[in-house]
Amino acid sequence: MFRLSKDIDSSFQGVGTKSGLEIWCVYNNQLVSIPKSSFGKFHSGNAYLVLRTVLPKVGSPQYEIHYWLGNDANEVDSVLASDKALELDAALGCCTVQYREVQGQETEKFLSYFKPCIIPVEGKYSPKTGLVGETYQVTLLSCKGDHVVRVKEVPFLRSSLNHDDVFILDTASKVFLFAGCNSSTQEKAKSLEVVQYIKDNKHDGRCEVATIEDGKFSGDSDAGEFWSFFGGYAPIPKLSSSTTQEQTQTTCAELFWIDTRGNLHPTGTGSLDKDMLEKNKCYMLDCYSEVFVWMGRNTSLTERKTSISSSEEFLRKEGRSTSTSLVLLTEGLENAKFRSFFNTWPQIVESSLYNEGREKVAAMFKQKGYDVDELPDEEDEPPYANCRGTLKVWRVDGDEVSLLSIPDQTKLFNGDCYIVHYKYDYNERTEHLLYVWIGCESIQEDRADAITNASAIVGSIKGESVLCHIHQGSEPSRFFPMFQSLVVFKGGLSRRYKTFLAEKADKVEENNENKASLFRVQGTSPRNMQAIQVDRVATSLNSSYSYILQYGTSAFTWIGKLSSESDHDVLDRMLYFLDTSCQPVYIREGNEPDTFWDLLGGKSEYPKEKEMRKQIEEPHLFTCSCSSGNDVLKVKEIYNFVQDDLTTEDVLLLDCQSEVYVWIGLNSNIKSKQEALTLGLKFLEMDIMEEGLTVRTPVYVITEGHEPPFFTRFFEWVPEKANMQGNSFERKLASLKGKKTITKRSSGSPWRSRSKDNASRDLPSRPVSSNGSERGVSPCSSEKLSSLSSSEDRTSSSNSTPVVKKLFSESLSVDPSSDGLTRQESSSNSDISKENPLNGINLDLSSLESLAYSYEQLRVDSQAPVKDIDATRREAYLTEKEFEERFGMAKSDFYALPKWKQNKLKISLHLF
């Protein structure tokens, strides 16, 4: 992407090739590169240029340019910084977003690069001596901001203090933090990060730290020492209202065309359309508090420089505040805020470029002689949850819920809503996942009742739980492994759904064994496979999947051209799971008999292109609030977020595009998960990033201190921080003074959204549902659910743990802390492996002789059955000789068969 011409500064040779920051200072009318050790140190007498580069794992590099203008920088340096920003953009292929930054009014995105803060230094920069005339002196700093701190040096006078802000007094041997009585807890906590920064960088960690509370003086030696620097204690003046008044004026956005001479021509106001923007022109969009300069792809570097100079001159003439943001956008790189001012803006889909690239790479391999049908997709996200837990499923029927038996847990209906409770152990404690699953044809009233009933179950569970609201067809990848095998039928069993069917003139097709049914088969392995019943029409087909078309006692299995071998294995197993007596007829796409099309109502067009998963960008973190009596949700983005941004007084939203997390701080004003879920659903409706969020996007609700690993992977997670006590200020102060908090919780996965280095840690085993001993309809009341939980605990505590003789890496055992059986497995990725003729089953051959039993003992109807064996693989306990007599083949040949054929043979011999 690098382009260098005579119009572009040679300092930009090779820039943008590594992730991170690159900084230049304007010095003697030229750019001087700033060493990394001086990043974040800006002199008020200079202008700077900052480039931030992000090199994603998939897709094009992302660049952002900021030119920073010190309050004492001269006009020549400021103009040069602006021009050099455009030259840098040109050197990078005109694919950057540019921002003007004014000292003291920097954007939060810019400040987030230099956490915890920027402390501008008085004077001018010199590449030889650093700061001209720099001497150490006592300074007084004001700090503002709950998540991004704006630090400003103020006159070292008592009159500079007030009750609303936080101040830092930096002396030679001690750093004081003075917290105004009206400052927020979060603001005081963030200011302590600045104190830590000053201590480490200006005092080499060798100075004392003291905190002074506004209004508390008696008996505090630190307070006395603090006030002695101001000549003794005296009342602090109140902050004048004029200094706190925010710029609230709002007007309709106004669009101007900027000609080559820099003149502004009004083009439109209020109702704007993208078609107004021409490729060979530059425009200014005036939104009052923020001004955008849009530069068409076909404009020259000179035209762009002129448009920026004209926009800055416009702001000066209008007398706009220095806090007015100026953002420079090149055509095709418009941000969500800019697009929001236009009536219609077509959504850009870049996945096609990614897919095209994959196809070209695959073609290259074929030319080299490799047999490549397709490149593997991006590896699936590990489910993270330890799937050796217990599963319970309730069907929602108005204000009642019915606990399903174990066989029925794997059969859902798209006209119903369900509550799925998964209990598992993680890091030496029991965790709970609670899903509200909304069928695509379910009734709206049932959907509302499902949330209410789920909230009641959450209240009855001992310990904290993670609540998730999901819609059929948009389930997260970690949902399906809990079931292992799942079938979703058309229809429903709730009273409201049946009433809805009765009122329809043309009743929808009901599930009936005598009628044909079409199922789309999906999944990644035998431990994660689903069959979804779809409309029995040809348009339901897709070349990326395999399908089962059942009719009477027969079935067609339709294999799409773009399906993989693992899809075919899942198809065989799912066919057996649906109907063990079914005689399948295998057909490949393009070889369908007329009978097949007749059952689908005739042949018609259907999707035949490879389905590619959406490429996920970096997640975004937002603070959110919703005033009482006001349904408007207010959100504010936290850029370049870290774990420390999860302050205990806040409610935060983590937007990952494919799913959204609502994080509830223990000291926030949100006290119920249902209330937090409502915030998450409102956020989906807003879609402020204009990334295509819908109400079907999964929403998780997470409580501080109980963050699951699939949430903490987005942070460099330190569990000790998540388990500290007190408010955010008290926690920061304890850390600053070296006090450690004891916690039993071990580290979560330090996974970033663009890195998969640690994504394979703690891969889960496959789940098994609970014993289903409780049955019938139980009203979803806290009282009954509490008694239900209590009875379960008493039952589970009385269970003993039998010893199971293990022949395999995957075996059955009984967990005394759970309600039923659990399954354990090795880290094998699949039951079928080309390298292992035994279908991925690892036999302990040295133990076979001592664990062998007779066929009569191993039969399921045996009068003298063997105990403490893996009941799902009875055949493996036969000797080699008796195995060949009964099955007519060797064990190795048997395990090479498809699973459904193995099971049929075992059923015929009463071993299954």
Side-chain angles (χ1 to χ4, degrees), residues 429-440:
R429 70 180 181 189
T430 300
E431 301 286 0
H432 301 269
L433 269 173
L434 206 73
Y435 288 93
V436 179
W437 187 87
I438 307 297
C440 62

Side-chain angles (χ1 to χ4, degrees), residues 710-771:
F710 50 84
F711 173 80
T712 60
R713 65 195 172 111
F714 295 108
F715 302 82
E716 296 294 335
W717 197 258
V718 180
E720 288 76 12
K721 291 182 179 180
N723 289 272
M724 296 183 72
Q725 302 298 317
N727 61 37
S728 55
F729 176 72
E730 293 166 343
R731 297 179 188 186
K732 290 288 184 185
L733 188 60
S735 299
L736 184 62
K737 295 189 175 181
K739 297 179 181 179
K740 302 296 182 181
T741 303
I742 300 176
T743 177
K744 293 183 179 180
R745 196 170 187 181
S746 61
S747 177
S749 176
W751 184 90
R752 294 296 294 174
S753 63
R754 296 194 186 279
S755 172
K756 295 187 179 180
D757 295 341
N758 302 306
S760 59
R761 293 186 181 179
D762 301 327
L763 284 178
S765 310
R766 73 181 185 185
V768 166
S769 53
S770 61
N771 59 13

Side-chain angles (χ1 to χ4, degrees), residues 518-697:
L518 181 64
F519 294 88
R520 184 184 71 245
V521 178
Q522 60 190 41
T524 58
S525 72
R527 297 181 299 277
N528 178 13
M529 59 182 188
Q530 305 88 44
I532 313 298
Q533 188 175 1
V534 296
D535 292 336
R536 186 164 47 86
V537 292
T539 53
S540 296
L541 300 177
N542 188 308
S543 297
S544 297
Y545 294 98
S546 298
Y547 291 78
I548 297 173
L549 177 58
Q550 284 186 326
Y551 59 104
T553 59
S554 301
F556 281 114
T557 59
W558 186 85
I559 301 172
K561 288 182 178 179
L562 299 178
S563 59
S564 64
E565 288 188 10
S566 61
D567 293 332
H568 306 162
D569 178 48
V570 169
L571 175 65
D572 288 337
R573 295 166 184 265
M574 184 52 75
L575 180 67
Y576 181 80
F577 182 78
L578 282 171
D579 188 354
T580 58
S581 63
C582 183
Q583 299 297 324
V585 176
Y586 289 86
I587 56 175
R588 290 190 172 271
E589 182 180 0
N591 298 316
E592 301 87 353
D594 292 339
T595 307
F596 176 81
W597 295 119
D598 290 341
L599 290 169
L600 295 183
K603 190 175 182 179
S604 60
E605 290 298 317
Y606 55 86
K608 297 181 180 179
E609 295 181 357
K610 180 68 175 178
E611 279 199 351
M612 303 298 295
R613 289 181 298 179
K614 182 181 178 182
Q615 300 305 311
I616 302 302
E617 302 295 334
E618 193 76 26
H620 300 268
L621 185 68
F622 299 87
T623 60
C624 68
S625 62
C626 196
S627 304
S628 58
N630 186 357
D631 291 336
V632 178
L633 178 66
K634 297 180 180 179
V635 297
K636 184 178 181 181
E637 184 169 2
I638 301 174
Y639 299 99
N640 298 305
F641 61 85
V642 294
Q643 184 182 355
D644 285 340
D645 289 313
L646 301 176
T647 47
T648 184
E649 293 82 15
D650 290 324
V651 176
L652 299 167
L653 280 158
L654 183 65
D655 176 13
C656 305
Q657 297 185 31
S658 60
E659 54 195 20
V660 169
Y661 298 86
V662 183
W663 182 88
I664 310 173
L666 292 179
N667 293 310
S668 70
N669 56 5
I670 299 294
K671 300 306 178 184
S672 73
K673 286 186 169 59
Q674 187 169 354
E675 186 179 356
L677 179 59
T678 301
L679 293 180
L681 295 177
K682 285 183 179 179
F683 180 79
L684 296 182
E685 295 175 359
M686 294 172 62
D687 190 18
I688 62 171
M689 300 299 294
E690 296 193 350
E691 57 194 1
L693 289 179
T694 69
V695 293
R696 296 172 56 84
T697 303

Side-chain angles (χ1 to χ4, degrees), residues 285 292 294 329 334-342 345:
L285 182 66
F292 297 92
W294 184 92
L329 301 168
E334 300 85 357
N335 59 24
K337 182 73 175 292
F338 179 84
R339 297 196 304 267
S340 68
F341 291 103
F342 292 80
W345 196 283

